[in-house]
Amino acid sequence: MKHNKGFYERYLKRPQDIVLSLVALIVLSPVITIVALLVRTKLGSPILFTQERPGLNEEIFRMYKFRTMTDEKDGDGKLLPDAVRLTKFGKLLRATSLDELPELFNILKGDMSVIGPRPLLVQYLPLYNEFQKRRHEVRPGLSGLAQVNGRNAISWDDKFNLDVEYVDNVSFLEDWKIIFLTIKKVFVKEGISSDTAATMEAFTGNERLEEEI
């Protein structure tokens, strides 16, 4: 059942995203520059980790993040597990959410929103049930309800339930509540990883594999 857009979502949310992302890019430009230089020095090129993700109505876009992992491979040319490739510097970027800063450009472009369900992997699309698919009825976000309620430390079921709860209750007050809670979470550094994986276990339906989220 597709949700009905309210006045805020229909007319104010996107202009707000543009203003917030522009202001953030201007204010944080020195931080973005410094992080980019550090990534280049410590992890090499490319500076950005880019990956296709499903957005609003499952339309695919290319998401930008700062790299947090090396490209180390085994003898067969396959990438080593996340836990091996995730460096101390990469862990610091994730713990402070500095790796997410390039997503401000995705918000400015209209691929994403400041607040919404996090954009997951394209290969998950065929695995969703009808309820879980509803997370794509709004633009994906830099942060969201699931991120301020456990982030990667909660189960996939809990995460999808929170995503759809957000979709059904989009509002100005809810967005700003999540924004302030996100700022608090960044300083507390909660839920960066799951209990059993270096980043977050992949959503497979039946199996659990490690995947960069």
Side-chain angles (χ1 to χ4, degrees), residues 9 32 63 70 72 74 89 101 107-108 121-122 133 136 144-145 152 156 158 162 164 170 192 211:
E9 187 180 357
I32 293 171
M63 189 182 77
T70 67
E72 293 179 85
D74 60 22
F89 174 65
L101 289 178
I107 297 171
L108 193 60
L121 302 179
V122 173
K133 285 181 179 180
H136 296 293
L145 193 58
N152 287 338
W156 279 110
D158 288 341
L162 288 166
V164 177
V170 178
I192 306 301
E211 185 99 31

Coordinates of all heavy atoms in Angstrom, one line a residue, residues 9 32 63 70 72 74 89 101 107-108 121-122 133 136 144-145 152 156 158 162 164 170 192 211:
E9 N 6.3 16.6 2.8 CA 7.0 15.7 1.8 C 6.9 16.2 0.4 O 7.8 16.1 -0.4 CB 6.5 14.3 2.0 CG 7.4 13.3 1.2 CD 6.9 11.9 1.4 OE1 5.9 11.7 2.2 OE2 7.4 11.0 0.7
I32 N 36.2 18.2 4.4 CA 36.1 17.3 3.3 C 37.4 17.3 2.6 O 37.9 16.2 2.1 CB 35.0 17.8 2.3 CG1 33.6 17.5 3.0 CG2 35.0 17.0 1.0 CD1 32.4 18.1 2.2
M63 N 26.2 6.1 -5.7 CA 26.4 6.7 -4.4 C 27.9 6.9 -4.2 O 28.8 6.1 -4.5 CB 25.9 5.9 -3.3 CG 25.9 6.6 -1.9 SD 25.2 5.5 -0.6 CE 26.6 4.4 -0.4
T70 N 41.2 -1.1 1.9 CA 42.2 -1.2 0.8 C 41.6 -2.2 -0.3 O 40.5 -2.7 -0.1 CB 43.5 -1.9 1.4 OG1 43.2 -3.3 1.8 CG2 44.0 -1.1 2.6
E72 N 43.2 -5.0 -1.2 CA 44.0 -6.2 -1.0 C 43.2 -7.4 -1.5 O 42.1 -7.6 -1.2 CB 44.4 -6.4 0.4 CG 45.4 -5.3 1.0 CD 45.7 -5.6 2.4 OE1 46.6 -6.4 2.7 OE2 45.0 -5.0 3.3
D74 N 43.5 -11.8 -2.7 CA 44.2 -13.1 -2.4 C 44.9 -13.5 -3.7 O 44.9 -12.8 -4.7 CB 43.2 -14.2 -1.9 CG 42.1 -14.5 -2.9 OD1 42.3 -14.2 -4.1 OD2 41.1 -15.0 -2.4
F89 N 42.5 3.5 10.0 CA 42.1 4.8 9.5 C 40.7 4.7 9.0 O 39.8 5.6 9.3 CB 43.0 5.3 8.4 CG 42.6 6.6 7.7 CD1 42.5 7.8 8.4 CD2 42.2 6.6 6.4 CE1 42.1 8.9 7.8 CE2 41.8 7.7 5.8 CZ 41.7 8.9 6.5
L101 N 30.5 11.9 4.1 CA 30.4 13.3 3.6 C 30.1 13.4 2.1 O 29.4 14.3 1.7 CB 31.6 14.0 4.1 CG 31.7 14.3 5.6 CD1 33.0 15.1 5.9 CD2 30.5 15.1 6.1
I107 N 22.8 14.2 -2.3 CA 21.6 14.9 -1.8 C 21.3 16.1 -2.7 O 20.2 16.4 -3.1 CB 21.8 15.3 -0.3 CG1 21.9 14.1 0.6 CG2 20.6 16.2 0.1 CD1 22.3 14.4 2.0
L108 N 22.4 16.8 -3.0 CA 22.3 18.0 -3.8 C 21.7 17.7 -5.2 O 20.9 18.4 -5.8 CB 23.6 18.7 -3.9 CG 23.6 20.1 -4.5 CD1 22.8 21.1 -3.7 CD2 25.1 20.7 -4.6
L121 N 22.2 -2.4 -1.1 CA 22.8 -2.9 -2.4 C 21.7 -3.3 -3.4 O 20.7 -3.7 -3.1 CB 23.7 -4.1 -2.0 CG 24.8 -3.8 -1.0 CD1 25.6 -5.1 -0.8 CD2 25.7 -2.7 -1.5
V122 N 22.1 -3.1 -4.7 CA 21.2 -3.4 -5.8 C 20.8 -4.9 -5.8 O 19.7 -5.3 -6.1 CB 21.9 -3.1 -7.1 CG1 21.0 -3.6 -8.3 CG2 22.1 -1.6 -7.2
K133 N 9.9 -3.7 0.3 CA 10.0 -2.9 -0.9 C 9.5 -1.4 -0.6 O 9.9 -0.5 -1.3 CB 9.2 -3.5 -2.0 CG 9.9 -4.7 -2.7 CD 9.1 -5.1 -3.9 CE 9.7 -6.3 -4.6 NZ 8.9 -6.8 -5.7
H136 N 11.4 2.0 -0.5 CA 11.8 2.8 -1.7 C 10.7 3.7 -2.2 O 10.8 4.3 -3.3 CB 12.1 1.8 -2.9 CG 13.3 0.9 -2.6 ND1 14.6 1.4 -2.5 CD2 13.5 -0.4 -2.4 CE1 15.5 0.5 -2.2 NE2 14.8 -0.7 -2.2
G144 N 18.8 7.9 8.9 CA 17.4 7.5 9.0 C 17.0 7.0 10.3 O 17.8 7.0 11.3
L145 N 15.7 6.6 10.4 CA 15.2 6.1 11.7 C 15.9 4.9 12.2 O 16.2 4.7 13.4 CB 13.7 5.8 11.5 CG 12.9 5.5 12.8 CD1 13.0 6.8 13.7 CD2 11.5 5.2 12.5
N152 N 24.0 -0.5 12.3 CA 24.3 -1.8 11.9 C 24.3 -2.9 13.0 O 24.5 -4.1 12.7 CB 25.8 -1.8 11.3 CG 25.8 -1.1 10.0 OD1 24.8 -1.0 9.3 ND2 27.0 -0.7 9.6
W156 N 18.1 -7.3 10.4 CA 17.6 -6.8 9.2 C 16.1 -6.6 9.4 O 15.5 -5.6 8.9 CB 17.8 -7.8 8.1 CG 19.2 -7.6 7.5 CD1 20.2 -8.5 7.6 CD2 19.7 -6.5 6.7 NE1 21.3 -8.0 6.9 CE2 21.0 -6.8 6.4 CE3 19.1 -5.3 6.2 CZ2 21.8 -5.9 5.6 CZ3 19.9 -4.5 5.5 CH2 21.2 -4.8 5.2
D158 N 14.4 -5.7 12.0 CA 14.2 -4.5 12.8 C 14.4 -3.2 11.9 O 13.7 -2.2 11.9 CB 15.1 -4.4 14.0 CG 14.6 -5.4 15.1 OD1 13.5 -5.8 15.1 OD2 15.4 -5.7 16.0
L162 N 11.7 -0.3 10.8 CA 11.9 1.1 11.1 C 11.9 1.9 9.8 O 11.4 3.0 9.8 CB 13.3 1.3 11.8 CG 13.3 0.8 13.2 CD1 14.7 0.7 13.7 CD2 12.5 1.7 14.1
V164 N 10.1 1.3 7.1 CA 8.7 1.5 6.6 C 8.0 2.3 7.6 O 7.1 3.1 7.2 CB 8.1 0.1 6.4 CG1 6.6 0.3 6.0 CG2 8.8 -0.7 5.4
V170 N 6.5 10.4 7.5 CA 7.4 11.5 7.1 C 6.8 12.8 7.6 O 5.6 13.1 7.3 CB 7.6 11.5 5.6 CG1 8.5 12.7 5.2 CG2 8.2 10.2 5.1
I192 N 28.2 1.0 14.9 CA 29.0 1.1 13.7 C 29.1 -0.3 13.0 O 29.0 -0.3 11.7 CB 30.5 1.6 14.0 CG1 30.5 2.9 14.8 CG2 31.3 1.7 12.7 CD1 29.8 4.0 14.1
E211 N 29.5 -8.1 3.9 CA 29.4 -7.2 2.7 C 29.6 -5.8 3.2 O 29.2 -5.4 4.3 CB 28.1 -7.3 2.0 CG 28.0 -6.5 0.7 CD 28.2 -7.4 -0.5 OE1 27.8 -8.6 -0.4 OE2 28.7 -6.9 -1.5

